[in-house]
C-alpha cells in the first residue's frame, strides 16, 4: 500500500484533516484520533515508508530527525520533565495498524511497562 491508498499519505496531502502540531519539510506531526494518553502525537515522514521494517539506510537522517522532533514536541507540550514514551509499532505482532511509518509520542501520565 502506498500513496493514494494510504491514510497517512492522505493526511500529508491534506485530503484527510488532522490536528497538526508540526509541519516540516520532511516530517509532520498530528494528534492521534484515539489518544491513549493525555498527550498522544504521531510523527510521520511525508514520504511513504510502510514500516520500520522497510526503512533503508537512506532514511537514517529522517529517522533520527523524527525522534528529535518527538523530543521537541514533548518539550513544547510540557511533558518533558515528567517523562514520556516514543513507540514505533512494526508489523502484526507489533500492533501496527497503519502501514505508513509513524512514531507515537505518549505522555501526560505514568505509562505501564511492559506494554500489552
Ligand atoms: P499503529 O497501531 O501503531 O499503526 O498506530 C496507528 C495510529 O493511528 C493509532 O493510534 C490510531 O488511533 C491512529 N489513527 C488512525 N486514523 C487516524 C486519523 N485519521 N487521524 C489521527 N490518527 C489516526
Ligand atoms: Zn503513506
Amino acid at each position: 500500500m502506498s500513496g493514494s491508498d494510504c491514510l497517512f499519505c492522505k493526511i500529508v496531502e491534506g485530503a484527510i484533516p488532522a490536528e497538526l502540531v508540526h509541519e516540516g519539510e520532511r516530517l509532520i506531526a498530528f494528534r492521534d484520533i484515539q489518544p491513549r494518553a493525555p498527550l498522544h502525537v504521531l510523527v510521520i515522514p511525508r514520504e511513504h515508508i510502510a514500516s520500520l521494517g522497510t526503512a533503508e539506510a537512506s532514511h537514517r537522517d529522517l529517522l533520527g530527525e523524527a525522534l528529535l522532533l518527538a523530543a521537541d514536541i514533548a518539550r513544547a507540550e510540557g511533558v518533558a520533565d515528567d517523562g514520556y514514551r516514543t513507540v514505533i509499532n512494526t508489523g502484526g505482532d507489533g500492533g501496527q495498524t497503519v502501514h505508513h511509518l509513524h512514531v507515537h509520542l505518549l505522555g501526560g501520565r505514568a505509562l505501564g511497562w511492559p506494554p500489552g
Side-chain angles (χ1 to χ4, degrees):
M1 183 187 290
S2 72
S4 58
D5 294 333
C6 171
L7 174 66
F8 285 179
C9 281
K10 290 192 171 104
I11 289 177
V12 168
E13 293 158 8
I16 288 179
E19 193 181 333
L20 293 163
V21 298
H22 175 88
E23 282 181 279
E25 193 182 317
R26 299 205 292 173
L27 298 165
I28 67 167
F30 53 90
R31 296 192 196 280
D32 198 291
I33 204 166
Q34 195 181 342
R36 305 292 186 165
L39 175 68
H40 190 172
V41 165
L42 302 173
V43 175
I44 75 167
R46 289 185 183 275
E47 175 185 347
H48 180 86
I49 302 167
S51 77
L52 186 61
T54 62
E56 298 175 357
S58 61
H59 297 126
R60 189 185 310 266
D61 286 353
L62 186 63
L63 291 170
E65 212 179 292
L67 290 176
L68 291 172
L69 175 59
D72 283 346
I73 293 169
R75 275 187 288 272
E77 295 280 335
V79 302
D81 287 348
D82 286 338
Y84 55 89
R85 187 169 294 163
T86 48
V87 176
I88 301 174
N89 294 327
T90 303
D93 279 2
Q96 185 177 7
T97 59
V98 177
H99 297 281
H100 180 128
L101 177 63
H102 50 282
V103 179
H104 293 260
L105 166 63
L106 297 144
R109 67 170 172 84
L111 298 160
W113 189 265

